Amino acid sequence: MFTLKNNFKLIPFVLLISSFNFLFFHIPFFQFVFETINYKSLNGIFVIASLMVLMLVLNAFVFSLLLTLSQKIGKFLLVLFFLINAVAVYFVATYGVIIDESMIGNILNTNYDESSSFFSYKLIIYLVLLGVLPSYIIVKSKIEKITFKKFSILSGLTILFALVLVFVNATNWLWIDKNSKKLGGLAMPWSYVVNTSLFYIHEYKKNEKEILLPDAKIKDTEKAIVVLVIGESARRQNFSLYNYDKNTNPLLSLTPDVFHFDANSSATYTTAGVKSILDHKETSDLYEILPNYLYRNDVEVFWRTTNWGEPPVHIKNYQDRAYLQSIAKEEDKNYDAVLLSGLKEQILASKKNKILVVLHTSTSHGPSYNTKYPSQFEHFKPVCKSVELSNCSQNELINAYDNTIVYTDYLLHRTIEELKQLKSYKSTMLFVSDHGESLGEKNLYMHGIPMSIAPKEQYEIPFIVWLPDDSSKKIKKFDMLSQYHVFHSVLNFLHIESPIYNEEMNIFE
């Protein structure tokens, strides 16, 4: 019987740690494998066995390489892997997320308010049992060094064995390639190691300075205002405007001149979704976004936000949650109604004829849906009050989420009522969500699944427009809209002439 005071030989030690890593952190990985392959067939058994052996052997190889180069650095990295693995597998198991590059971007753009809402005692249990305890073993273990010659021989044999195993699985390459995103996103620790590296590589490749669009020209002096409300995690199937069987739009459904369109988001996470709403076309480049473009071309722009994750906004009037709370009524301070605090007065104080207002909301962002609206908007009960969404019944979870849509309905209606009071302005309101949301369908929660495999709940979004009947503008008919329609529609409504304007992407006649 060994103790931690005994010396470990390198190979048994890395095989032990690799086995821990395999047993603790790969249940979701193999759940997915068993769901997508015929595990009762001879070929299915061979694929599963090959994946298990490869995972054990290759992880042991990498761990041995780290420890051979430097035991201090190797141990530090192993401890870091186990701690992060514990947190990552908690989120995979609890919310059904995939740790791909887009999810890494989502994580790195999450602020304290959002991240703190995920805290639970279950997370602490995962961290202590699967992270801290194995880390203690790693730190306290004494590992005997092996010669470079022996390590080189073992490394060569390991690589040769892995190549042979990959080669004999040649008939299964198509299955592996088809499922590579999900397999890669569930393999710990390489899901976040590789995808974090890819994220920063792609961030580095992005333009350090945004690409300016061609100059625009304001065509007239008519006073006009567009309020663009960017929704957060609002999926259209839960809006009664879209024939949902619960009345989640009690105010908008009775408001004249409200139009709604089917739309799909271009991504399933905030940073990419918001960028698409503000971009003039589908692109991965950092072009000048709508508020920056209009501000540079002499349009008054107000950006008000209780959220985060937008591209760099270069305007004078950028107002965050802290500022808005300082001027808000007490009953609005903790909710998205704070976005309307003093807005009408700010608009009336403007000396510009053309105005864009962006309200970036956070109302339907999980997991704490029940905290995103005042108590009087809790129309549907009982509600989920846990951040561990799988612990709630489907009915409780959907009720809590639906109440956020009821509150969104109130916020949009209130925005319309304030615009109606601005008699000297021609006005319109656009509401477009950044992405949708999963609420337990297919055991998935929230958002962030890669678009190539994302369920419709995460990309089918509402696109709602209010346009007064006495407006000189009318609404075109569309079967389907995209987030990119926003840019060109705003230019058209404000009578902005631009070389990059695309009439086909404009919703107004």
Side-chain angles (χ1 to χ4, degrees), residues 106 229-235 264-277 307-308 360-362 364-365 431-437 447 458-459 461-462 483:
N106 213 15
V229 184
I230 299 177
E232 170 60 64
S233 306
R235 66 186 203 180
N264 288 339
S265 65
S266 65
T268 61
Y269 59 102
T270 298
T271 50
V274 173
K275 181 178 183 295
S276 298
I277 292 170
N307 210 323
W308 46 85
H360 189 191
T361 70
S362 58
S364 295
H365 198 294
F431 172 76
V432 187
S433 187
D434 56 356
H435 51 75
E437 190 87 334
H447 52 268
Q458 293 194 24
Y459 62 78
I461 58 171
Q483 292 168 323

Side-chain angles (χ1 to χ4, degrees), residues 46-80:
F46 182 68
V47 171
I48 293 168
S50 298
L51 287 172
M52 288 180 173
V53 172
L54 274 174
M55 194 167 284
L56 283 167
V57 171
L58 292 180
N59 279 339
F61 167 67
V62 175
F63 297 162
S64 65
L65 176 62
L66 295 174
L67 291 166
T68 300
L69 294 174
S70 169
Q71 283 206 18
K72 286 186 178 180
I73 294 175
K75 283 188 174 185
F76 171 77
L77 290 174
L78 288 177
V79 167
L80 190 63

Side-chain angles (χ1 to χ4, degrees), residues 20 26 34 53 86 95 130 240 272 348 353 388 395 406 416 439 454:
F20 282 170
H26 288 90
F34 275 82
V53 172
Y95 299 109
L130 303 184
S240 53
L348 291 173
N353 292 325
E388 296 172 26
N395 183 53
V406 173
I416 292 169
L439 298 172

Side-chain angles (χ1 to χ4, degrees), residues 90 119-130 132 388:
Y90 164 79
F119 174 81
S120 73
Y121 291 109
K122 184 178 174 183
L123 172 58
I124 298 301
I125 292 170
Y126 268 74
L127 188 59
V128 171
L129 294 183
L130 303 184
V132 175
E388 296 172 26

Side-chain angles (χ1 to χ4, degrees), residues 84-137:
I84 298 176
N85 282 356
V87 176
V89 81
Y90 164 79
F91 280 94
V92 170
T94 305
Y95 299 109
V97 302
I98 304 297
I99 313 296
D100 69 335
E101 186 181 347
S102 62
M103 181 57 68
I104 292 296
N106 213 15
I107 292 166
L108 294 174
N109 283 289
T110 296
N111 68 5
Y112 174 77
D113 286 338
E114 182 179 349
S115 60
S116 62
S117 69
F118 289 99
F119 174 81
S120 73
Y121 291 109
K122 184 178 174 183
L123 172 58
I124 298 301
I125 292 170
Y126 268 74
L127 188 59
V128 171
L129 294 183
L130 303 184
V132 175
L133 292 181
S135 295
Y136 176 79
I137 294 173

Side-chain angles (χ1 to χ4, degrees), residues 387-420:
V387 299
E388 296 172 26
L389 301 182
S390 58
N391 289 345
C392 297
S393 70
Q394 185 81 355
N395 183 53
E396 290 172 332
L397 179 57
I398 291 177
N399 281 344
Y401 181 82
D402 285 345
N403 290 330
T404 70
I405 305 302
V406 173
Y407 186 64
T408 297
D409 177 78
Y410 159 76
L411 183 70
L412 297 179
H413 177 262
R414 188 168 152 183
T415 302
I416 292 169
E417 291 303 306
E418 295 217 356
L419 285 175
K420 287 180 180 178

